[in-house]
């Protein structure tokens, strides 16, 4: 075959290149767009044949199930109870170190036999037992949501009593050495008169503890020497922006992620609800005259009483797991506020979210972890779930509260307490497409006398929000605390506390984790 002259070879090359260039242009024009945030309800878990599953909507316990006694048996899907220490019930938070757990109690009723924080030795997960009770410092008599552990320095810390602002226990911080986790040793107690304790957390390096005064501000305590803590700064949010419920600190200690509670009039929270990111590097680096600064804020109208900010890293990018403790209710009563939110086309309950904070001046919600009970289209089915006699004593319904992950770097699993909807476990390997894989709803304890329980306290105790019942009928339990994932002997366990059932350990079943 004769060689083509150069002129024809050039034409051939150009003719071949044109369609390739066109394809390249099409490919350029069809680059994958940014993933679309998940805003619908999360797909339901597929349960095992022997599980005692929910009979209605995802997360729901119907009025018939409550009043018939069906909810007294509890509900489970791909999770099984292994061990439990009920005690006298639990308050709003749980922490842990090694084989021990710590949870608060009410300290409000003379019938409570053991005051203070319960220390649980769970060396044998089948038979967890109380090893001691921390009643030797003011904050531990009721640490509310401030009870946290810093594993690096083996410290347990807390600040004051949450709801009872007039109690002298509300003005203190306490720190314990948990090297012997079953028998913590009190290191120090610091009184700060202007502080009303509620929630709080350690910086990752364990040198600073931050205690919050809900809706007002926070106090930073230097615990470089935990035997001699010192106040660094009392910060009041300017213009109310950055006023916390609970909060967390970035890995390097320079950022505070504030859950700013709002949008819920029954709690007196008429301001905005959502996330505020603060620069606290002056405190982390112990600069003189420290000045926290607001970096950004992200507020929303479809949740209320912002609760938790849990830092995680997904594919190298920082994110937060965020929870709301209530829906966005604008009327004084709890039942009325749920109905009012529904009338606006919003969920009557709070739910968890995943927020991308890699651009910290422009955080973005990438997923809403809504159950079917959170879908406004189901309002007509869920508003009647609460017995009329106790509807005004149930402040939270099926809302979220605290969560935990299997690991903070590229988490696969997220477990959240959805209060009356129980403990819910989600697969978040693809955070833009979360799905539910398991749940556990502890049995209702109805009128059982549990003076250490926050739920007993709300229904039958002395809290003066609304008139109480002598035997307030609690037709569900509430799962409220942080949740621990623990791998042991080939099994994955979950540690948590619920208010009427105390400390519990669950195990995954039905091979649900096999392909994760």
């Amino acid at each position: 075959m004769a060689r083509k002259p150069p002129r024809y070879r050039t034409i051939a090359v150009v003719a071949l290149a044109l369609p390739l260039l066109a394809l390249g242009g099409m490919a350029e024009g069809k680059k994958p767009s940014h993933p679309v945030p998940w805003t619908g309800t999360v797909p339901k878990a597929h349960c095992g044949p022997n599980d005692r599953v929910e009979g209605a909507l995802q997360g729901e316990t119907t009025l018939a199930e409550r009043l018939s006694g069906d909810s007294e048996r509890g509900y489970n899907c791909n999770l099984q109870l292994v061990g439990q220490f009920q005690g006298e019930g639990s308050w709003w938070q749980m922490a842990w170190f090694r084989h021990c757990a710590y949870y608060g109690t009410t300290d409000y009723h003379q019938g409570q036999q053991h005051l203070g924080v319960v220390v649980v030795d769970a060396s044998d997960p089948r038979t967890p037992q109380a090893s001691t009770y921390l009643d030797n410092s003011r904050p531990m008599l009721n640490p509310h949501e401030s009870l946290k552990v810093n594993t690096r320095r083996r410290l347990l810390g807390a600040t004051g009593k949450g709801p009872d602002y007039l109690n002298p226990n509300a003005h203190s911080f306490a720190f314990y050495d948990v090297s012997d986790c079953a028998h913590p040793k009190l290191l120090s107690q610091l009184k700060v008169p202007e502080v009303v304790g509620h929630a709080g957390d350690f910086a990752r390096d364990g040198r600073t503890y931050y205690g919050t005064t809900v809706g007002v501000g926070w106090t930073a305590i230097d615990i470089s020497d935990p035997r001699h803590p010192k106040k660094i700064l009392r910060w009041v949010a300017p213009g109310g922006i950055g006023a916390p419920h609970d909060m967390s600190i970035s890995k390097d200690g320079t950022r505070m992620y504030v859950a700013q509670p709002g949008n819920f009039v029954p709690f007196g929270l008429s301001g905005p609800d959502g996330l505020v990111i603060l620069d606290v590097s002056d405190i982390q680096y112990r600069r003189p005259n420290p000045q926290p600064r607001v970096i950004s804020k992200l507020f929303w109208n479809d949740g209320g009483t912002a609760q938790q900010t849990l830092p995680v890293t997904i594919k190298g990018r920082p994110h937060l797991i965020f929870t709301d403790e209530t829906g966005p209710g604008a009327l004084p009563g709890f039942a009325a506020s749920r109905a009012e939110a529904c009338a606006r086309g919003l969920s009557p309950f709070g739910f968890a979210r995943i927020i991308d904070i890699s651009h910290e001046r422009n955080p973005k919600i990438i997923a809403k972890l809504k159950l079917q009970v959170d879908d406004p289209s189901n309002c007509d089915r869920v508003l009647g779930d609460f017995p009329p006699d106790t509807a005004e004593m149930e402040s939270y319904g099926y809302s979220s509260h605290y969560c935990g992950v299997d690991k903070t770097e590229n988490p696969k699993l997220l477990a959240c307490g959805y209060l009356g909807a129980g403990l819910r476990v989600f697969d978040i390997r693809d955070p833009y497409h979360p799905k539910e894989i398991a749940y556990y709803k502890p049995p209702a304890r109805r009128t059982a006398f549990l003076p250490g329980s926050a739920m007993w306290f709300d229904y039958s105790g002395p809290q003066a929000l609304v008139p109480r019942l002598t035997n307030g009928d609690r037709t569900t339990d509430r799962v409220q605390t942080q949740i621990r994932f623990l791998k042991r002997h080939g099994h994955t366990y979950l540690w948590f506390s619920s208010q009427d059932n105390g400390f519990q350990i669950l195990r995954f079943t039905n091979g649900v984790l096999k392909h994760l």
Side-chain angles (χ1 to χ4, degrees), residues 36-43 365-370 431-434:
V36 177
W38 183 273
T39 58
T41 57
V42 175
I365 297 170
I366 65 170
K368 297 180 180 182
L369 280 72
K370 294 194 291 187
Y432 286 88
H433 295 89

Side-chain angles (χ1 to χ4, degrees), residues 276-293:
V276 178
I277 301 178
L278 298 179
D279 180 346
V280 291
S281 54
D282 285 359
I283 294 173
Q284 175 67 14
Y285 298 132
R286 299 298 192 265
R287 293 171 181 146
N289 189 30
Q291 299 295 319
R293 293 171 287 275

Side-chain angles (χ1 to χ4, degrees), residues 317-338:
R317 299 163 69 96
H319 290 68
L320 294 173
I321 308 298
F322 197 107
T323 62
D324 277 317
E325 186 181 274
T326 67
L331 296 178
F334 298 124
S337 266
R338 290 191 283 267

